[in-house]
Amino acid sequence: MKTILYSTLIVLCLTLSHSNLMAQEEGEAKTLFGNNTRINTKDLGFFVAPSFGFTQMDGGSASLFNLRGGVNLKDNIAFGAYFNTSVNDIRPQSETVPNVYMDYWSVGGFAEYTLLSKNLLHVSFPLYIGYGEVEMDNENGNVGLGEANFFQLEPSALLAVNLHKYVRLNVGAGYRFVGQMEYRNFNQSDISGLTGYIGLKFGLFR
């Protein structure tokens, strides 16, 4: 009986060892980054993209400075963070207090998809998701009229031209959707709207 048990154990051990050797011969364990992976570190790049935007908020003209940076995968998919702020004094048409103006800023993250990135001309589609704020000020600073905070979503489309291996020029537009908010004499519908953009993109595009 013992002989049968020993023989069975020997056969089982040999079978397991053979299976393990066969599995090793099939290849190494798959990992996210490496030589035999779907995502190779050689496919990863990075960029910084400053741009200027032109829009309206509650009937007042607004000039915006947008700065975003992130990483890209095969120069098709990118994600990162952004900061957007007004650079001029925004004058809402509904404001009744004289000699005041509105400041605006937003911060958050973005994802971007690019078509035909290796072509001289190509198109990208950034989607911004973030948190924003508006506040009334004057030349002396805060005037004590409070502030309003809100959720913001902005899908965009940009036409880009490759100026250099590491530099691109882009122009396009986005539509700003502002979440529920009320401030002074206006609400989210008065500051939601279309924004035109022009900017540069510096980076290592792979």
Side-chain angles (χ1 to χ4, degrees):
M1 185 68 176
K2 289 182 179 180
T3 304
I4 295 174
L5 287 174
Y6 288 144
S7 300
T8 304
L9 286 173
I10 291 171
V11 171
L12 182 61
C13 289
L14 289 173
T15 302
L16 290 173
S17 299
H18 179 71
S19 299
N20 186 45
L21 288 172
M22 291 293 290
Q24 290 179 356
E25 290 176 359
E26 289 177 0
E28 298 179 357
K30 294 182 179 180
T31 59
L32 185 60
F33 299 98
N35 293 328
N36 300 315
T37 62
R38 295 179 182 178
I39 300 177
N40 195 300
T41 53
K42 293 181 179 179
D43 297 328
L44 293 175
F46 60 89
F47 64 91
V48 175
S51 65
F52 283 95
F54 307 94
T55 186
Q56 283 196 335
M57 295 184 180
D58 190 25
S61 296
S63 299
L64 309 176
F65 174 71
N66 182 289
L67 181 63
R68 63 191 177 107
V71 296
N72 55 55
L73 173 62
K74 294 185 178 180
D75 206 10
N76 294 125
I77 299 173
F79 54 90
Y82 80 92
F83 176 70
N84 197 8
T85 184
S86 57
V87 293
N88 72 315
D89 299 343
I90 306 170
R91 309 284 181 176
Q93 65 181 8
S94 65
E95 183 54 57
T96 57
V97 176
N99 302 318
V100 297
Y101 60 86
M102 186 175 74
D103 286 328
Y104 157 88
W105 62 264
S106 69
V107 65
F110 72 90
E112 181 178 22
Y113 180 71
T114 302
L115 290 173
L116 306 173
S117 60
K118 302 305 180 185
N119 289 5
L120 178 63
L121 291 173
H122 54 272
V123 181
S124 63
F125 302 95
L127 174 64
Y128 300 93
I129 302 174
Y131 167 92
E133 179 183 286
V134 291
E135 180 181 19
M136 300 304 294
D137 290 322
N138 63 15
E139 294 180 356
N140 298 318
N142 192 308
V143 292
L145 296 177
E147 61 191 33
N149 307 115
F150 46 84
F151 171 79
Q152 181 173 306
L153 178 70
E154 184 174 346
S156 305
L158 301 173
L159 176 65
V161 57
N162 293 334
L163 299 178
H164 183 271
K165 183 178 180 181
Y166 304 113
V167 184
R168 295 171 176 175
L169 171 69
N170 56 72
V171 294
Y175 194 90
R176 181 178 57 259
F177 293 95
V178 173
Q180 183 70 35
M181 60 86 69
E182 288 189 10
Y183 181 64
R184 305 291 293 158
N185 302 312
F186 62 84
N187 59 29
Q188 69 279 353
S189 63
D190 298 302
I191 61 172
S192 297
L194 189 68
T195 302
Y197 288 105
I198 181 167
L200 294 170
K201 194 175 186 180
F202 306 90
L204 180 61
F205 308 109
R206 293 178 168 176

